[in-house]
Amino acid sequence: APGAAEALGERSLSQGLSVLVGLALCVTMLGLGCAVELGQLGRQLRRPVGVLLALLGQFVAMPLVAFLLALIFALDEVAAVAVLLCGCCPGGNLSNLMSVLVDGDMTLSIIMTASSTLLALLLMPLCLWLYSRPWIHTALVRLLPLGAVSLTLGSTLLPIGLGVLIRYRYPRAADLLVKVSLWSLLVTLVILFILTGTMLGPDLLAHIPASVYAIAVLMPLTGYALGYGLATLFRMPPHCRRTVSLETGCQNVQLCTAILKLTFPPQLVGGMYMFPLLYALFQAAEAGLFVLAYKVYGRDGPKQEMLGEEEDTDISYRKLKEEEVPDTSYGTVSAEEPGAAPTEPAQTAL
């Protein structure tokens, strides 16, 4: 009887965790949709730099980094699949929050997150199939549910579409939902960490190999560096480089957790349910250090440097900001430039 009661408790906890993961994913995707404005989306599609950067960062750079780290650290098939899943995920909402804190280009950040989520419908299963070849003869990879991955990704389109509709019809409600989704992201990660640790045992963290911890530290750090280098290659201004850096290193860990939780048998995955949560912990900590370094050392310099660099780049993000967000700090700076007030008299009045 005690054994049956314990098993029932574990099953109930597992089901509760599944529900929490599903709800967290829906709230996150709803918040993402509420952050997308149709006018911004149209302009980005006419000049699809953000979409291209999302493609290169999330589905070329990060899956390759995850694959190479899995090989370098000689991970077993379970750990390798968890790392690959995380590396192949689209961008997450954490990058939008961090981009605000480093005075990044929010239009670019939101477009990159949204476009990488849409591209993931096709490219995430493709990347998983391609990079899982070294472990193809293992039972877990043979059971790799690419169809279920696509189905989980497809289910995120409904809350994203609903969020876009809310933004179009009720902008104030959309602003509130964006804030709710960002806070729920942080709260959900903490709850997931606690519940997963409770379900799998108090000594779970001690049984996760040191190599997995090392990858959880190195992967987001490498993503941030590659993103910054990619934006530099595109000759983007500093505030856009910071944005692309954060977008590349921040993965949608709720989606990764949902796929691991909802599509794999628990007895096969075991403690690797914790990997996306560890990744979330370290990507947030490293992004926090990035923000701190910017606030302490780079806050004044990059703004002045940005004004000079934007004159030479072919991608005029400053003009886009003046047209769309006149009350931001960048709009204020640009209004001081010669000719800014006459060209946008209505926005200056606002």
Side-chain angles (χ1 to χ4, degrees):
E6 184 178 347
L8 180 61
E10 289 182 359
R11 186 162 61 250
S12 299
L13 185 58
S14 178
Q15 291 173 350
L17 190 59
S18 299
V19 172
L20 178 63
V21 166
L23 287 175
L25 184 61
C26 286
V27 172
T28 300
M29 294 298 101
L30 179 64
L32 175 60
C34 286
V36 176
E37 293 187 7
L38 294 178
Q40 294 175 350
L41 187 60
R43 276 185 284 272
Q44 286 293 327
L45 290 177
R46 289 193 296 271
R47 188 188 55 200
V49 176
V51 178
L52 178 60
L53 290 169
L55 171 66
L56 294 176
Q58 297 294 352
F59 301 110
V60 176
M62 291 307 292
L64 182 59
V65 167
F67 174 72
L68 293 177
L69 287 174
L71 289 181
I72 291 170
F73 285 92
L75 297 183
D76 60 41
E77 69 275 10
V78 177
V81 166
V83 169
L84 286 175
L85 268 173
C86 201
C88 295
C89 277
N93 282 34
L94 179 66
S95 59
N96 306 138
L97 176 62
M98 293 299 178
S99 292
V100 171
L101 297 178
V102 297
D103 299 323
D105 189 320
M106 282 307 298
T107 299
L108 178 63
S109 177
I110 292 166
I111 291 298
M112 285 187 68
T113 303
S115 60
S116 68
T117 302
L118 296 177
L119 289 169
L121 283 168
L122 175 64
L123 296 180
M124 186 176 176
L126 177 62
C127 288
L128 285 172
W129 177 84
L130 177 65
Y131 287 113
S132 63
R133 297 301 91 189
W135 300 276
I136 190 60
H137 297 298
T138 62
L140 186 68
V141 173
R142 286 176 181 173
L143 293 173
L144 188 63
L146 296 179
V149 170
S150 298
L151 185 62
T152 304
L153 284 165
S155 67
T156 65
L157 294 181
L158 182 60
I160 290 176
L162 179 60
V164 173
L165 179 62
I166 293 173
R167 164 61 64 183
Y168 179 72
R169 298 290 300 274
Y170 311 103
R172 291 187 178 180
D175 291 336
L176 178 61
L177 286 172
V178 169
K179 294 178 182 178
V180 169
S181 70
L182 291 174
W183 280 107
S184 69
L185 165 65
L186 303 177
V187 173
T188 302
L189 290 176
V190 173
I191 295 175
L192 283 175
F193 200 92
I194 294 172
L195 287 182
T196 306
T198 302
M199 183 178 70
L200 297 176
D203 58 346
L204 170 68
L205 295 178
H207 284 82
I208 295 178
S211 57
V212 173
Y213 281 99
I215 290 175
V217 172
L218 291 173
M219 220 166 106
L221 197 60
T222 306
Y224 294 142
L226 288 175
Y228 198 90
L230 185 64
T232 302
L233 187 65
F234 274 74
R235 299 179 60 205
M236 302 180 82
H239 72 306
C240 293
R241 295 179 194 174
R242 297 192 295 272
T243 302
V244 176
S245 174
L246 290 166
E247 282 293 330
T248 305
C250 289
Q251 307 297 98
N252 190 335
V253 291
Q254 300 101 309
L255 178 61
C256 185
T257 304
I259 291 172
L260 283 171
K261 182 71 184 121
L262 302 177
T263 61
F264 285 99
Q267 62 272 22
L268 285 180
V269 177
M272 284 303 106
Y273 281 131
M274 294 295 284
F275 180 76
L277 303 181
L278 290 175
Y279 187 93
L281 177 66
F282 288 113
Q283 80 173 3
E286 291 166 9
L289 292 175
F290 186 175
V291 172
L292 181 62
Y294 169 71
K295 296 293 186 184
V296 173
Y297 297 108
R299 193 166 191 174
D300 295 325
K303 285 188 180 181
Q304 298 301 322
E305 179 188 355
M306 180 187 68
L307 295 176
E309 286 195 20
E310 283 181 302
E311 299 293 337
D312 300 326
T313 182
D314 294 331
I315 307 167
S316 179
Y317 287 95
R318 183 187 57 188
K319 182 178 179 181
L320 182 62
K321 278 192 166 295
E322 290 175 355
E323 293 174 352
E324 295 177 359
V325 193
D327 58 342
T328 62
S329 59
Y330 293 106
T332 304
V333 173
S334 61
E336 295 174 2
E337 297 179 359
T343 55
E344 297 288 346
Q347 293 181 0
T348 305
L350 291 176

